[in-house]
Amino acid sequence: MKITFDFEKPLADLQVQIEKVKQLEDKNKLDMSASVAELEEKLETAKREIYANLTGWQKVQISRHPERPYTLQYIELMCDDFIELHGDRTVGDDKAIIGGFGSINGQTAMFIGQQKGRNTKERQYRNFGMANPEGYRKALRLMKLAEKFNKPVITLIDTPGAFPGLEAEERGQGEAIARNLMEMSVLKVPIICIIIGEGASGGALGIGIGDRVLMLENSWYSVISPENCSTILWKTWENKERAAEVLKLTSSEMLKNKLIDGIIKEPLGGAHQDPVAMASTLKKQLLKDLKVLKEKNIDDVVTERIDKFCSMGVVIEE
């Protein structure tokens, strides 16, 4: 395993053992297939045990894996074609958010999502997936365009948060996100939102109001990152693991609390282990949900969307 987290070390050790046995087999021309098979069985058993019992912080780590698929990779793997559209027609083109019309099994939809980078240059170009106000205004412009042509909107969320710089606040970061929340609530086309990695704060929520809000198995969704939560509560990052548990930010906790509509299973070990299989699973889920939503009256869809979000966090006394 090229990149190994602490909790994955037993798996890396077993893989090293397997490679050593195979090298020994080749060097000495011995039949060691039984030993290899035994070790491979141990490896599979260890994988299932480790990934079935991940803590909140471990899932956060997997969601940030540098080889995890990002928005553009999913679009490339799922869509027959894709035309990217640029700019908010006011300030500029925010590279942290990409969007455009794409065709998925012959159905046209507006795809919008945050995009991170694979290396230092790309990360700087994409601003680490942290959008400025013009990014959210671009997203809203594209959603309105989709509404005009009666095309569904699909958002792919993966951000450590909206850009917190002074210039972003000066250009109306809070207003841009708030307007998106309002406009998405009443947009007269189906909206499907998928958290594919990190879903932090208003940066994620700014494109996260949908008829179906789904999370990949090893993604997270919360008002704040574990590190920042730890810093605020304990004045240090050292308690980030504890903060991850307290925040209840995993997909299973979010579903349990009725804040999302479903979980999309990932390949064993995370989406980065098999991006093609992950994209195929995501595509099937999108097509399934689009079919259901398209069969409904759009006014009913909008009403259900509003009711769903209005009911979150409401306490009913009996």
Side-chain angles (χ1 to χ4, degrees):
M1 299 175 75
K2 293 180 183 178
I3 299 171
T4 307
F5 299 118
D6 290 341
F7 63 89
E8 292 178 317
K9 192 174 185 305
L11 305 181
D13 292 342
L14 281 169
Q15 285 183 323
V16 169
Q17 289 181 45
I18 291 170
E19 288 303 315
K20 285 182 178 178
V21 172
K22 286 182 177 179
Q23 289 172 8
L24 188 63
E25 184 179 41
D26 292 338
K27 183 178 179 180
N28 297 322
K29 307 300 180 184
L30 299 171
D31 182 9
M32 304 188 71
S33 56
S35 298
V36 171
E38 184 181 348
L39 285 170
E40 287 179 340
E41 187 178 343
K42 281 185 179 180
L43 178 61
E44 287 304 309
T45 302
K47 278 183 180 180
R48 286 193 292 271
E49 185 177 339
I50 287 173
Y51 294 123
N53 297 285
L54 293 173
T55 65
W57 174 246
Q58 288 167 346
K59 288 196 174 187
V60 170
Q61 288 178 286
I62 291 178
S63 77
R64 295 171 175 170
H65 196 288
E67 293 176 11
R68 191 174 176 86
Y70 295 146
T71 295
L72 282 174
Q73 188 173 1
Y74 281 121
I75 290 174
E76 181 182 344
L77 290 170
M78 291 191 301
C79 294
D80 307 315
D81 53 57
F82 176 68
I83 300 173
E84 186 175 356
L85 302 173
H86 300 273
D88 71 337
R89 301 295 186 266
T90 304
V91 175
D93 184 35
D94 190 334
K95 305 300 183 183
I97 286 188
I98 61 99
F101 283 116
S103 177
I104 178 169
N105 271 32
Q107 299 183 57
T108 300
M110 177 63 77
F111 287 85
I112 299 169
Q114 283 106 355
Q115 177 68 22
K116 296 177 179 177
R118 294 291 180 195
N119 52 47
T120 302
K121 187 175 181 180
E122 281 185 17
R123 291 184 187 116
Q124 290 176 333
Y125 179 70
R126 298 289 180 184
N127 201 31
F128 299 85
M130 296 186 294
N132 279 281
E134 51 269 28
Y136 293 103
R137 291 177 179 131
K138 173 170 73 171
L140 179 57
R141 182 178 75 83
L142 299 185
M143 290 177 204
K144 287 292 189 180
L145 190 63
E147 184 182 48
K148 179 179 179 180
F149 292 106
N150 195 30
K151 301 300 179 185
V153 173
I154 297 170
T155 69
L156 302 175
I157 298 165
D158 187 12
T159 179
F163 185 60
L166 178 62
E167 59 272 34
E169 298 299 336
E170 288 175 340
R171 294 198 298 274
Q173 185 73 286
E175 186 276 338
I177 292 173
R179 181 168 294 276
N180 278 22
L181 303 185
M182 180 183 71
E183 296 285 359
M184 289 184 79
S185 297
V186 295
L187 200 72
K188 287 188 174 293
V189 290
I191 306 173
I192 300 175
C193 307
I194 316 284
I195 295 90
I196 60 173
E198 298 187 88
S201 193
L205 201 58
I207 56 170
I209 304 295
D211 306 298
R212 296 286 185 275
V213 180
L214 308 170
M215 290 178 69
L216 297 196
E217 185 180 7
N218 294 310
S219 62
W220 64 275
Y221 200 19
S222 178
V223 69
I224 193 171
S225 71
E227 294 95 329
N228 288 334
C229 177
S230 176
T231 301
I232 291 171
L233 294 182
W234 296 288
K235 312 301 180 186
T236 174
W237 279 26
E238 296 301 317
N239 292 311
K240 55 186 180 290
E241 292 92 343
R242 182 180 172 190
E245 297 304 318
V246 171
L247 286 169
K248 307 293 184 185
L249 44 65
T250 62
S251 56
S252 56
E253 291 288 355
M254 291 292 289
L255 183 62
K256 180 181 175 182
N257 290 322
K258 299 180 181 179
L259 298 172
I260 61 170
D261 302 300
I263 299 170
I264 302 174
K265 192 169 180 59
E266 296 185 22
L268 190 63
H272 59 281
Q273 299 289 352
D274 194 343
V276 174
M278 185 68 254
S280 177
T281 302
L282 182 54
K283 182 177 180 179
K284 288 176 185 176
Q285 184 67 49
L286 287 172
L287 290 171
K288 177 183 174 183
D289 286 336
L290 283 173
K291 184 176 184 295
V292 172
L293 291 170
K294 281 187 174 183
E295 290 173 352
K296 292 185 175 184
N297 179 282
I298 192 58
D299 290 329
D300 293 337
V301 169
V302 172
T303 300
E304 289 174 11
R305 185 191 309 155
I306 293 171
D307 289 344
K308 179 175 72 171
F309 281 91
C310 285
S311 66
M312 292 180 184
V314 175
V315 177
I316 301 175
E317 295 184 3
E318 296 182 356

